[in-house]
Amino acid sequence: MKNETKIGLDTMLGVGKKKKIAGREYYILPVCIKDMIYVIGNGIENDETKTLVIVDKESLNQEEVKWQLFGLNIVDEERKKIFLKILNRYVFYCSGDEKIPMTEELLVEHNWSFKEIGEFLLAWSQISD
């Protein structure tokens, strides 16, 4: 049987960054090796593995694409499952000294728009740069 180790939040806290999104403060951890597949794919041409839709910042700044494109991560059911898993694993809402893992309910309650979803995905995928 394969033993799966769990990396504690305390271990990761040194490499994460605080970011304000939608007027609230969140703590975002960088992409872990096991989840890089959702950002860059797995390199297999005909594989059905879904990647998250992450548009580069330059295209957004030059208005080549719109923030609404990030909404594909919510309307496509497979991407939504991946997005919510990533959100719960890597984003913590800072409430005083407490860090609360993000959930779909908090996402709705905090009223993230296309832009907030995009800001999170850009920060998450680039935090370790």
Side-chain angles (χ1 to χ4, degrees):
M1 185 184 295
K2 182 179 170 185
N3 288 339
E4 191 167 320
T5 58
K6 183 175 179 170
I7 298 171
L9 178 60
D10 291 339
T11 303
M12 294 296 289
L13 280 177
V15 293
K17 293 195 178 166
K18 285 188 177 181
K19 179 164 179 60
K20 271 202 169 197
I21 300 175
R24 292 183 171 87
E25 194 169 79
Y26 299 91
Y27 199 82
I28 301 174
L29 303 177
V31 178
C32 176
I33 289 171
K34 69 180 181 177
D35 292 324
M36 286 182 184
I37 189 172
Y38 302 124
V39 177
I40 60 175
N42 62 7
I44 300 172
E45 200 170 306
N46 295 326
D47 194 359
E48 294 293 317
T49 304
K50 293 273 187 172
T51 58
L52 293 170
V53 176
I54 303 175
V55 181
D56 68 14
K57 190 76 170 170
E58 287 178 22
S59 297
L60 288 166
N61 289 340
Q62 296 172 2
E63 295 188 16
E64 293 174 20
V65 294
K66 303 284 183 207
W67 287 101
Q68 287 87 339
L69 198 55
F70 288 104
L72 292 174
N73 294 306
I74 297 296
V75 295
D76 179 280
E77 284 303 315
E78 288 297 313
R79 283 192 175 105
K80 182 177 180 179
K81 287 178 194 173
I82 295 166
F83 177 72
L84 292 174
K85 178 176 100 174
I86 295 301
L87 195 72
N88 186 256
R89 186 178 294 168
Y90 293 97
V91 180
F92 296 86
Y93 170 53
C94 299
S95 178
D97 290 337
E98 190 177 3
K99 290 184 176 45
I100 304 165
M102 281 296 286
T103 61
E104 184 174 6
E105 292 78 21
L106 274 177
L107 180 72
V108 171
E109 182 182 322
H110 293 186
N111 200 27
W112 280 21
S113 69
F114 298 128
K115 186 172 183 179
E116 279 82 27
I117 291 168
E119 286 177 353
F120 155 66
L121 286 170
L122 288 169
W124 173 67
S125 64
Q126 297 172 357
I127 259 177
S128 55
D129 286 353

